[in-house]
């Protein structure tokens, strides 16, 4: 598939065929592509927890879903059919240590030096490469977050080190017809509305 088609076809898929597992080689390719993401200082401070076994996925959903009881909503019912979940974790400590090395010139690990948390940004870019890989392989994907109040439960259930941050989860599988997000009715902002040339407010003029 041409890259432009991969980008255009990418959408957040919210329901999957639970009886069609993701081939191992496809997961391998997604992970191989993920580690090609850019990372500040080539720190590569990311980890990916792959959940393909039914028992592991059920444990994840039990750890992250509301405990009040009752039936799950339509979003959760659909996403729970995904046969593969990849929890994307960032490692801030790796970045702070990397930039305290001699070739970077910083003499401390002060987090205030960082304009944005690149450990989270870089891990998010790795997740996007997984989503694009899914499209290229004829699958669907979804990126979603783990509620902050559920982090400790997931951390305990899967032995995740305390220094890892939860950036999000990539769900992957063979998509089935689902309800498209009502947010799409907002429409996509055109390039002319979001790109500025020379100074903010001067619209970028796209080529004819």
């Amino acid at each position: 598939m041409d890259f432009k088609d991969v980008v255009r076809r990418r959408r957040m898929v919210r329901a999957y065929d639970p009886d069609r597992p993701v081939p191992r080689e496809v997961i391998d390719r997604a992970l191989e592509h993920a580690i090609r993401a850019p990372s500040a200082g080539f720190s590569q401070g990311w980890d990916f927890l792959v959940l393909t076994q039914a028992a592991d996925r059920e444990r994840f959903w039990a750890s992250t879903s509301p405990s009040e009881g009752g039936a799950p909503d339509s979003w959760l019912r659909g996403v729970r059919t995904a046969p593969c979940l990849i929890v994307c974790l960032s490692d801030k400590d790796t970045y702070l240590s990397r930039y305290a090395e001699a070739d970077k010139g910083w003499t401390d690990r002060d987090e205030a030096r960082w304009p944005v948390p690149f450990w989270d940004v870089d891990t998010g870019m790795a997740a996007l490469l997984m989503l694009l890989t899914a499209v290229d392989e004829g699958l669907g994907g979804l990126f979603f977050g783990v509620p902050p109040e559920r982090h400790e439960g997931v951390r305990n259930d899967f032995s995740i080190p305390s220094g890892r941050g939860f950036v999000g989860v990539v769900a992957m599988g063979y998509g089935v017809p689902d309800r498209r997000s009502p947010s799409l009715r907002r429409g996509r902002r055109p390039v002319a509305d979001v790109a500025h040339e020379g100074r903010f407010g001067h619209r970028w003029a796209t080529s004819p």
Side-chain angles (χ1 to χ4, degrees):
M1 194 183 297
D2 287 343
F3 180 70
K4 63 181 180 181
D5 293 326
V6 171
V7 172
R8 287 171 177 166
R9 292 184 186 185
R10 189 217 57 77
R11 57 176 288 262
M12 294 301 189
V13 175
R14 294 168 169 80
Y16 303 85
D17 185 342
D19 299 319
R20 295 185 68 187
V22 179
R24 186 98 180 176
E25 58 269 24
V26 172
I27 300 174
D28 287 343
R29 278 193 284 276
L31 294 170
E32 287 289 344
H33 292 169
I35 64 172
R36 303 291 299 186
S39 67
F42 210 38
S43 301
Q44 305 168 78
W46 44 48
D47 289 282
F48 308 107
L49 174 64
V50 184
L51 307 177
T52 59
Q53 299 300 311
D56 291 332
R57 298 195 310 272
E58 283 302 315
R59 190 159 73 252
F60 171 83
W61 292 119
S63 296
T64 57
S65 301
S67 56
E68 293 79 12
D73 61 21
S74 60
W75 183 91
L76 186 55
R77 286 196 304 272
V79 177
R80 286 184 68 154
T81 60
C84 176
L85 300 174
I86 303 176
V87 184
C88 302
L89 305 162
S90 64
D91 184 2
K92 176 173 67 176
D93 192 62
T94 291
Y95 282 74
L96 299 183
S97 296
R98 172 70 184 97
Y99 274 76
E101 294 178 16
D103 65 310
K104 288 301 179 185
W106 293 358
T107 58
D108 56 50
R109 291 159 39 88
D110 186 0
E111 186 177 343
R113 293 181 181 275
W114 292 83
V116 295
F118 271 83
W119 39 92
D120 293 336
V121 172
D122 293 349
T123 303
M125 287 193 279
L128 177 57
L129 290 178
M130 288 190 243
L131 293 173
L132 294 178
T133 301
V135 175
D136 193 46
E137 295 286 346
L139 283 75
L142 172 72
F143 183 80
F144 64 94
V146 177
E149 66 272 17
R150 305 292 174 183
H151 288 186
E152 280 310 303
V154 179
R155 196 183 301 281
N156 293 334
D157 283 348
F158 293 95
S159 302
I160 297 171
S162 60
R164 300 300 190 272
F166 289 85
V167 174
V169 183
V170 172
M172 194 182 302
Y174 292 93
V176 298
D178 64 344
R179 185 178 68 91
R180 296 176 71 88
S181 171
S183 298
L184 294 175
R185 299 194 193 103
R186 295 166 55 86
R188 192 178 305 279
R189 295 177 68 193
V191 170
D193 283 0
V194 299
H196 312 265
E197 185 170 11
R199 67 177 64 186
F200 200 94
H202 289 199
R203 289 190 171 191
W204 173 262
T206 57
S207 57

